[in-house]
Amino acid sequence: MDAGATAALLPGLLLLPLLCPGPARGALPWGGARGLVHGLLPERQLWEAEDWSLALLQGGGLGPRSLPTDLPDPDPECRELLLDFARSSAELTRCLVRSARPVRLCQTCYPLFQQVARKMDNISRAVGNTSESDGCARSLLMADRVQIVVTLSEFFNSTRKKANCANCLTNKGEELSNTTVYFLNLFNHTLSCFEHNLQGSLHSLQQSRNYSEVCKNCHEAYKTLNSLYNEMQKMNALANKAESGVHLCIDVEDAMNITRKLWSRTFNCSVLCGDTAPVVAVSVFILFLPVVFYLSSFLHSEQKKRKLILPKRLKSSTSFANVQENSN
């Protein structure tokens, strides 16, 4: 075989071990591949092909005889951006799963949401000249129909939007708002009150399931928490007049749902409204208003008796009839 034909075979022969990695896939091992091409290449070129193949397996370059530049393997800088996004996505995914129940997505994972967003921005506008930046963005974001980087980024953005984490954070989104921190502190205080009173009457709980101590001692804590939640709902409705049905932060909603279920279903407690007495008084007054009306009408109305007044003509006729009866 001449030198030109051997040079033309080199690219395919050096990739032969990569395409036939071992007997697990029913292919020839490296030794078999070497024996296959030993008769086609001189000894020096054979070892050169082996060195190039090993360099490929180890992630090294091929020197002057490199692979085609249009392969979808990003440059080192772009690959580093991809690895940064992968690490941030893994951290955020782990945080979301761990904070799924009870829901702590916004208060625990909001720094990671921002970190993933920054990594995505770095990929979109990669550091470097314009042509390299465009090439990196195309390679990582638009090179295939799956677009896994874009899909992950959209999933994280959708999760944050559905959780309404913006309602838990400050305007800049760098930390929890003061109202959210205050609510979470009240929530933890209420749960601590529940737990303390349950531990104090554990024996009675096992006997009669009596939660009267919880209802009595934690009444004020629950009432304060419930009032704050209602106030937060009103403020959120005023701030989002144009958008109907906007919820509070999922962390706040889940915390209040847990507390209400414990208070009403588990402990069977109830909170009397502070305006109960006036409401009851007005209801009783309206209920008895018809009775009072008819009774007063009966007592103060003038009873008129009907008197029968005989006409004069009828009276004279009666007298004439009596006279005739007497004459007979």
Side-chain angles (χ1 to χ4, degrees):
M1 183 178 294
D2 57 3
T6 302
L9 286 174
L10 275 177
L13 292 175
L14 66 90
L15 292 177
L16 195 59
L18 301 179
L19 299 176
C20 306
R25 296 186 181 180
L28 291 173
W30 169 241
R34 179 183 175 185
L36 179 64
V37 301
H38 183 73
L40 300 178
L41 294 176
E43 187 71 19
R44 182 181 60 82
Q45 294 181 349
L46 175 64
W47 287 112
E48 184 180 357
E50 290 184 5
D51 292 339
W52 287 350
S53 301
L54 291 175
L56 273 180
L57 291 174
Q58 296 173 359
L62 294 178
R65 297 183 180 182
S66 59
L67 294 176
T69 57
D70 58 347
L71 290 179
D73 189 25
D75 57 78
E77 182 181 0
C78 192
R79 176 177 289 275
E80 185 62 27
L81 293 175
L82 179 61
L83 293 178
D84 287 343
F85 180 83
R87 286 190 289 265
S88 300
S89 300
E91 293 178 5
L92 179 55
T93 302
R94 182 164 54 249
C95 180
L96 293 177
V97 174
R98 289 179 176 178
S99 305
R101 180 54 55 193
V103 180
R104 299 291 184 270
L105 300 183
C106 299
Q107 57 185 298
T108 305
C109 305
Y110 73 90
L112 297 177
F113 276 119
Q114 297 175 346
Q115 178 176 294
V116 171
R118 288 194 299 268
K119 301 302 181 182
M120 185 64 181
D121 291 340
N122 292 338
I123 292 177
S124 300
R125 53 179 198 280
V127 179
N129 58 49
T130 306
S131 60
E132 291 178 354
S133 302
D134 292 342
C136 183
R138 284 196 302 268
S139 175
L140 298 182
L141 305 180
M142 299 176 290
D144 54 81
R145 64 181 180 84
V146 178
Q147 299 180 1
I148 189 64
V149 175
V150 177
T151 302
L152 280 176
S153 178
E154 291 178 350
F155 166 74
F156 293 137
N157 291 334
S158 175
T159 301
R160 180 175 56 182
K161 185 176 180 180
K162 289 180 180 178
N164 290 301
C165 290
N167 291 336
C168 279
L169 306 175
T170 57
N171 293 333
K172 296 182 179 180
E174 299 177 351
E175 58 184 358
L176 295 175
S177 64
N178 295 333
T179 305
T180 303
V181 174
Y182 181 51
F183 176 87
L184 294 177
N185 290 336
L186 287 179
F187 169 69
N188 293 330
H189 172 69
T190 305
L191 292 187
S192 298
C193 182
F194 292 167
E195 184 179 2
H196 175 73
N197 286 274
L198 285 175
Q199 291 177 352
S201 56
L202 182 61
H203 180 72
S204 62
L205 288 177
Q206 294 175 352
Q207 298 295 329
S208 59
R209 311 292 293 178
N210 185 11
Y211 300 105
S212 59
E213 292 296 323
V214 177
C215 299
K216 181 178 65 175
N217 297 332
C218 302
H219 174 269
E220 288 299 326
Y222 176 80
K223 182 180 178 182
T224 304
L225 181 68
N226 191 64
S227 300
L228 177 60
Y229 180 79
N230 293 334
E231 186 65 24
M232 292 174 66
Q233 281 187 318
K234 292 179 182 178
M235 296 299 295
N236 183 65
L238 292 176
N240 299 278
K241 287 183 177 179
E243 302 179 22
S244 59
V246 177
H247 296 275
L248 290 174
C249 167
I250 187 62
D251 295 23
V252 174
E253 289 185 343
D254 186 72
M256 196 66 235
N257 289 337
I258 291 175
T259 310
R260 285 175 174 174
K261 288 179 180 178
L262 288 173
W263 183 260
S264 60
R265 296 183 183 180
T266 304
F267 305 141
N268 198 24
C269 301
S270 61
V271 176
L272 295 177
C273 181
D275 299 331
T276 301
V279 171
V280 171
V282 172
S283 301
V284 170
F285 174 76
I286 294 176
L287 180 64
F288 283 95
L289 189 60
V291 178
V292 174
F293 174 77
Y294 285 112
L295 183 60
S296 61
S297 298
F298 176 77
L299 294 177
H300 297 284
S301 63
E302 182 178 350
Q303 298 292 330
K304 294 184 179 180
K305 297 181 180 180
R306 295 182 179 181
K307 298 180 180 179
L308 183 59
I309 302 176
L310 296 176
K312 294 182 179 179
R313 182 179 303 174
L314 181 59
K315 185 177 181 180
S316 59
S317 300
T318 305
S319 302
F320 179 75
N322 292 334
V323 170
Q324 286 185 347
E325 184 179 354
N326 292 332
S327 62
N328 293 332

